[in-house]
Amino acid sequence: MDDAMSLQLSLDKLPIKRLESIEENGFERFPSDVDNEEKRLSLIRRIDFAWAVEKDEERKKQKKSSKEPSTPWQWQGMIENLQLAHQELSVIIDLINTVEANDAVTVASMTRPKLLPNEALSDLAVSAATKLQCYRQVGKYFKQSAKAFEQQVAREARFYGALIRLQQNWKVKRQRQPAIGPGNEGFTFDLFDNTYDQAAIIRSSLMSTVRVNHDAAGMLAINVSPNSCHSLQFGFVGTQSDDTQGKSNENKSDSEHHLGETGKESLSDEGCVKKTNSLLREVHKAIFNEQVFDLVNREAFNTSTVVSVTGIRENYLQLSLGQRTSVYLSLVSSGQDHTRVEGELTNNVENAILPFESSDGMKHDAKWNTIKKKGQFSNSTCYEIYIQQIYHELIFGRGSEKPTSSGSRLSGAQAKDGSSLLSHFFMSLAHRIFSTKVLAELENVVCKVPYLQLISNPTWHSRGSSWTLFMEVPRSILRGSQIKTVEYCEKNTIKRQFWTKVVVNDDCIIVKAEGSPNVAGLFKGKSEETHSINKYNCNLADLGVVILQQVASQIMNWLHQEALMVGIKVNRDFLSLSFELEQGETLGLVANVDPEDVEGGISWWLVMEDSFAEEQKLHINATNGASEYRKFLGHLSLDLLYATLMDFVSLCSGGSGQ
Amino acid sequence: MDPQGQTTSLQRLQNVEKRIVKVLELAGGVMDELASPLGPRKDVVQNHCLEFMQLIKDIQVALRDEIKSACEYRPFEKCDYGSRIANEICYQKVEFVMSQLDAMKQTIDEYHAAV
């Protein structure tokens, strides 16, 4: 208060740029701009605290000078310390006010207070403890990551192990997409075959790419609904086929068993892979079936000769062969059965589309219907398989080389042309139906004649069938006179084996048989050429009669030969042998064939004829004249026939006195 | 991939992953050891570190081998889908033939039973 606060002013130079130097080339140099920070720093440095220090010194001097005379006050030291502290605090307060006014302040230097030993130690301890804590945290982090990594490795090992096993069988493709979700690495199974014959394929199925997902446990899983897998079904319209129902039930139970097994229970990895593999198989088959169905559809509308389309629905195609046979081809998902579902509809369709069929025709074929139905049931599966097979070659082109033994059902030329495949298939179908009828007729005949055997000859062609009817005269019937010297055996033994061959090509029946002995062939000595081969066409209705006639004539041949062997003069007509007795009487053995006869096909009559009568033919139905005497001998077996012949022989020889 | 010795390539890679896990565990063990309040035991730390380096070496060797033999995956150069379908068709044929034979056997049995 005594000291007047003198105010000093200092003037700064104007903040204009003053030239510092200039070089020879005229480049001017200015002093560099000073930062704001530096400006303030310099301002702070210019604060002159000297006045405060001087004041203190003056005060100290005064106090000291004033103290000297008197005894020092005991609190003097403390007061001085407090004053010093006060000064320091006032400096600090000024500093803080400057800072509060948002002026940045840089501390030029500060001397660190010297640490006391215990403080130093405690600092060290704290830093050591912090370090240990960090180590512990890092250690825990490592161990946690190790565990998590181990789990992830195990999950991925299962997934990739399964994927590799499936990759051995199926094509796997990968799309590296930006992460759509955790665990989706973009794998897909590609079931489309790029060796498909491109001309044959119209559409690529949507099903042909199957996404690979993860299930809840991280294992590989695919999302395929079993209902989207269609299987091919072939059947005959209007018949309730128990077989197909049974088959579809079986399939359903199989697939349910599959799904139920893998539903909620946890599967082993092995089981999971197997299930996925079988699902992929189903989808692959379904794609092929769809291709086959498409191709059949295309061809059905092209071929106008063999088969005509009579009905079409989604996944269902109905075709008519024009012989009162109507078939359908459909794609069914597992568990669906077209015959049951479509039963009423198809009956209506059939009745509507085929109005020209008269009911009379139906009645006549009532017998055939039962046979047809019985034959159809077992065959509809095999037609399914056959149609798949014949399209397999077409679809997969020539790339898949199969051994010809399995592919020889199709003659080579037909296989290459797609448009003829369907007609070939339906002609095979028609042939099969027809040959079933033929076989029934043949069986009917053979049942009636006990010494006749029926042998099937495989033709390995889907449109041809062949049977042989074989008759052999047993050795035991023949007399001992047949035993001749060995070298003349072949020439002199009578033919004892007779065959009749029935060959069916498409719907044309050819009957081939050995007929009457060929004179020219006799000199050649070979048994095959000693008889001429009769070959003629025949239709189904007459087949029975023709066969029986053929067999009967063969028996006649044999009897004729036997009689000649014994030395009796005997005349042979078509189905009769006649012996001459004395007085011009003729004794005849006549065969009568009747396929409708319940007791046997061939029956024998003894006919005695008086030569004085007018010319009479040994006619089966002849009833004219009392001069003819006929006795019915019945259905004779071969040994009885032979015995009868020998009786005739003895009669004739006894009569002619030989 | 042809298996070399006892293990397939996939198994060897799986072993590499297991080693990585072990390596991490070792690192965690070392850290724990260093963090122990009594100070780290030298021998334990040393053993861990030795094992660590050994494993790292094994991992590198295995990966180098596998990288050499890894090839680009060409999706199915020889596609067997055609023969696979042929196989399915044959399977159906066999099933059908078996059902026919079963029916024949049944007929024979019935015949014998009746006789």
Side-chain angles (χ1 to χ4, degrees):
Chain A
M1 280 166 308
D2 288 347
D3 303 335
M5 299 288 281
S6 59
L7 199 60
Q8 288 179 348
L9 286 174
S10 61
L11 294 173
D12 287 335
K13 296 196 189 113
L14 281 179
I16 56 171
K17 291 203 172 173
R18 294 176 188 275
L19 196 60
E20 193 179 322
S21 64
I22 186 162
E23 291 180 354
E24 288 175 4
N25 51 8
F27 181 69
E28 298 167 346
R29 224 180 251 179
F30 293 97
S32 52
D33 285 334
V34 181
D35 251 3
N36 278 346
E37 313 295 321
E38 295 188 16
K39 276 188 199 156
R40 297 190 198 286
L41 200 57
S42 58
L43 285 174
I44 290 172
R45 287 205 183 107
R46 282 170 55 196
I47 298 174
D48 190 10
F49 292 108
W51 59 272
V53 173
E54 280 178 15
K55 255 204 317 191
D56 292 336
E57 284 180 9
E58 282 180 19
R59 281 217 189 115
K60 279 186 200 162
K61 280 183 196 157
Q62 282 179 4
K63 297 240 172 83
K64 274 188 188 153
S65 62
S66 65
K67 238 189 335 193
E68 280 169 45
S70 59
T71 53
W73 190 24
Q74 57 182 356
W75 303 111
Q76 195 67 29
M78 194 164 140
I79 289 172
E80 282 169 14
N81 283 339
L82 282 174
Q83 281 173 346
L84 280 172
H86 177 72
Q87 281 163 13
E88 281 183 32
L89 276 174
S90 59
V91 167
I92 290 172
I93 285 170
D94 286 337
L95 198 61
I96 289 172
N97 289 337
T98 318
V99 169
E100 269 182 350
N102 284 330
D103 291 334
V105 172
T106 312
V107 175
S109 70
M110 193 169 94
T111 58
R112 189 144 181 247
K114 190 151 176 233
L115 281 179
L116 296 171
N118 61 338
E119 286 176 353
L121 275 178
S122 63
D123 274 352
L124 202 58
V126 165
S127 63
T130 317
K131 222 188 258 188
L132 286 183
Q133 183 71 21
C134 286
Y135 282 162
R136 248 178 258 126
Q137 279 178 355
V138 169
K140 214 175 5 169
Y141 173 72
F142 277 150
K143 292 217 163 125
Q144 274 178 0
S145 337
K147 271 203 207 89
F149 190 56
E150 195 174 15
Q151 281 177 358
Q152 190 185 357
V153 159
R155 274 166 76 105
E156 287 192 352
R158 287 178 70 208
F159 178 78
Y160 283 106
L163 189 62
I164 277 192
R165 284 184 61 183
L166 288 171
Q167 187 204 314
Q168 289 168 356
N169 294 330
W170 310 98
K171 285 197 274 189
V172 175
K173 289 198 169 145
R174 184 173 191 176
Q175 258 180 317
R176 293 192 179 260
Q177 333 158 314
I180 291 187
N184 185 4
E185 293 96 354
F187 287 109
T188 55
F189 285 114
D190 181 17
L191 295 173
F192 187 76
D193 190 352
N194 46 9
T195 64
Y196 281 163
D197 198 2
Q198 287 305 319
I201 303 304
I202 341 170
R203 64 170 176 180
S204 64
S205 169
L206 290 170
M207 289 196 293
S208 59
T209 309
V210 177
R211 272 254 292 269
V212 174
N213 296 324
H214 289 259
D215 69 354
M219 185 54 174
L220 188 146
I222 57 176
N223 191 15
V224 168
S225 73
N227 285 334
S228 66
C229 294
H230 293 108
S231 61
L232 211 58
Q233 190 182 36
F234 180 88
F236 292 92
V237 166
T239 59
Q240 289 292 321
S241 53
D242 296 317
D243 274 357
T244 54
Q245 283 184 10
K247 187 179 67 159
S248 70
N249 284 340
E250 194 184 292
N251 284 345
K252 198 158 60 156
S253 66
D254 261 347
S255 60
E256 276 175 2
H257 183 59
H258 259 289
L259 294 171
E261 199 181 287
T262 66
K264 298 298 174 194
E265 308 150 14
S266 61
L267 261 190
S268 67
D269 290 353
E270 188 74 28
C272 198
V273 169
K274 279 190 185 156
K275 173 196 158 213
T276 312
N277 197 31
S278 61
L279 273 176
L280 285 170
R281 265 179 69 195
E282 295 293 323
V283 178
H284 191 51
K285 270 196 293 189
I287 294 173
F288 175 70
N289 289 334
E290 282 182 8
Q291 306 281 6
V292 169
F293 189 71
D294 279 343
L295 285 172
V296 167
N297 266 314
R298 267 205 294 182
E299 285 188 30
F301 289 101
N302 285 344
T303 61
S304 54
T305 50
V306 177
V307 69
S308 58
V309 178
T310 55
I312 181 164
R313 275 189 279 278
E314 183 194 354
N315 285 348
Y316 179 89
L317 183 70
Q318 187 171 323
L319 302 159
S320 155
L321 290 183
Q323 298 168 12
R324 294 177 294 276
T325 313
S326 201
V327 299
Y328 70 87
L329 185 69
S330 68
L331 285 176
V332 293
S333 37
S334 58
Q336 189 188 356
D337 185 6
H338 259 276
T339 54
R340 215 166 13 155
V341 171
E342 307 281 347
E344 295 155 7
L345 290 171
T346 53
N347 279 335
N348 290 340
V349 167
E350 194 184 29
N351 294 337
I353 299 291
L354 308 172
F356 56 89
E357 300 296 338
S358 63
S359 53
D360 295 339
M362 298 291 252
K363 278 180 208 157
H364 280 169
D365 285 325
K367 181 175 74 160
W368 297 120
N369 272 343
T370 49
I371 298 170
K372 186 161 77 166
K373 280 187 180 112
K374 222 173 86 167
Q376 280 164 13
F377 294 151
S378 59
N379 281 344
S380 63
T381 317
C382 84
Y383 292 127
E384 253 172 54
I385 297 173
Y386 188 48
I387 204 171
Q388 282 180 342
Q389 174 168 353
I390 65 180
Y391 277 102
H392 174 260
E393 273 199 29
L394 178 69
I395 288 174
F396 287 98
R398 289 286 116 199
S400 66
E401 291 299 326
K402 294 195 302 187
T404 50
S405 61
S406 60
S408 61
R409 279 189 172 263
L410 284 174
S411 54
Q414 286 168 334
K416 294 198 173 60
D417 186 5
S419 62
S420 64
L421 276 181
L422 198 63
S423 17
H424 170 81
F425 173 75
F426 279 106
M427 281 161 73
S428 308
L429 176 63
H431 169 80
R432 282 293 287 274
I433 295 174
F434 184 70
S435 66
T436 316
K437 295 180 192 166
V438 168
L439 181 62
E441 186 64 31
L442 288 176
E443 280 177 352
N444 185 27
V445 164
V446 169
C447 281
K448 305 259 177 68
V449 180
Y451 40 83
L452 203 57
Q453 286 176 354
L454 179 64
I455 302 171
S456 293
N457 305 330
T459 56
W460 308 117
H461 193 272
S462 56
R463 279 156 59 183
S465 319
S466 156
W467 295 272
T468 304
L469 291 131
F470 186 69
M471 174 170 68
E472 181 175 10
V473 180
R475 261 193 181 270
S476 54
I477 299 177
L478 306 177
R479 293 288 183 81
S481 58
Q482 293 297 322
I483 301 172
K484 302 273 183 186
T485 52
V486 177
E487 40 279 22
Y488 297 112
C489 234
E490 295 85 15
K491 286 189 192 160
N492 292 328
T493 46
I494 294 172
K495 192 169 168 59
R496 294 185 295 112
Q497 296 172 339
F498 302 94
W499 52 263
T500 308
K501 218 166 184 181
V502 178
V503 174
V504 182
N505 281 326
D506 278 332
D507 54 355
C508 162
I509 307 178
I510 296 174
V511 178
K512 276 203 289 199
E514 290 168 323
S516 47
N518 195 349
V519 177
L522 274 172
F523 288 113
K524 287 184 195 165
K526 291 186 206 163
S527 63
E528 300 86 50
E529 291 177 15
T530 51
H531 292 72
S532 58
I533 308 278
N534 297 334
K535 178 172 166 180
Y536 36 91
N537 290 357
C538 168
N539 61 351
L540 186 60
D542 300 333
L543 185 64
V545 176
V546 165
I547 296 286
L548 286 173
Q549 279 181 352
Q550 195 62 45
V551 170
S553 83
Q554 286 170 347
I555 297 178
M556 280 296 160
N557 277 341
W558 167 59
L559 289 174
H560 191 208
Q561 295 297 314
E562 291 286 344
L564 287 179
M565 181 71 74
V566 184
I568 298 298
K569 180 171 178 288
V570 59
N571 289 332
R572 186 182 170 235
D573 203 348
F574 176 43
L575 284 179
S576 72
L577 277 180
S578 51
F579 305 85
E580 280 189 13
L581 302 175
E582 71 256 19
Q583 292 128 27
E585 288 177 347
T586 50
L587 193 62
L589 188 63
V590 176
N592 176 30
V593 304
D594 184 7
E596 306 288 330
D597 190 352
V598 180
E599 292 171 27
I602 306 178
S603 53
W604 300 89
W605 293 73
L606 186 65
V607 177
M608 237 170 55
E609 201 183 74
D610 204 347
S611 63
F612 290 128
E614 297 295 314
E615 52 175 39
Q616 293 170 4
K617 288 192 181 170
L618 291 168
H619 205 279
I620 295 163
N621 292 326
T623 50
N624 47 346
S627 55
E628 188 181 274
Y629 174 70
R630 283 186 295 152
K631 180 152 186 341
F632 182 63
L633 295 174
H635 308 274
L636 301 177
S637 62
L638 290 178
D639 46 353
L640 283 176
L641 272 175
Y642 188 71
T644 314
L645 182 69
M646 289 301 125
D647 289 343
F648 281 6
V649 164
S650 60
L651 208 58
C652 292
S653 57
S656 59
Q658 275 193 345
Chain B
M1 294 268 196
D2 297 324
Q4 299 171 10
Q6 293 295 319
T7 53
T8 65
S9 163
L10 183 68
Q11 281 169 334
R12 270 179 268 131
L13 289 172
Q14 281 179 355
N15 286 342
V16 163
E17 286 180 328
K18 286 189 193 131
R19 279 186 211 130
I20 293 177
V21 170
K22 188 90 174 79
V23 154
L24 273 178
E25 281 174 3
L26 283 172
V30 165
M31 280 299 152
D32 281 345
E33 195 56 38
L34 289 175
S36 76
L38 300 173
R41 288 167 288 178
K42 271 222 159 124
D43 49 349
V44 172
V45 173
Q46 201 155 7
N47 287 340
H48 278 312
C49 289
L50 275 175
E51 212 179 321
F52 182 93
M53 297 309 287
Q54 183 66 35
L55 284 173
I56 292 280
K57 191 182 90 161
D58 290 342
I59 287 169
Q60 282 202 343
V61 162
L63 281 179
R64 269 192 223 116
D65 285 340
E66 291 306 315
I67 283 173
K68 268 189 286 182
S69 60
C71 65
E72 189 190 315
Y73 171 59
R74 276 177 291 249
F76 257 66
E77 290 170 320
K78 293 177 196 161
C79 183
D80 68 344
Y81 283 175
S83 26
R84 185 172 280 277
I85 293 288
N87 194 25
E88 300 279 351
I89 294 177
C90 291
Y91 170 74
Q92 285 182 341
K93 286 185 195 172
V94 166
E95 261 189 334
F96 179 67
V97 168
M98 270 172 56
S99 71
Q100 296 282 68
L101 289 174
D102 283 341
M104 281 165 65
K105 183 166 189 302
Q106 198 181 9
T107 311
I108 292 172
D109 289 341
E110 281 171 9
Y111 172 75
H112 282 308
V115 163

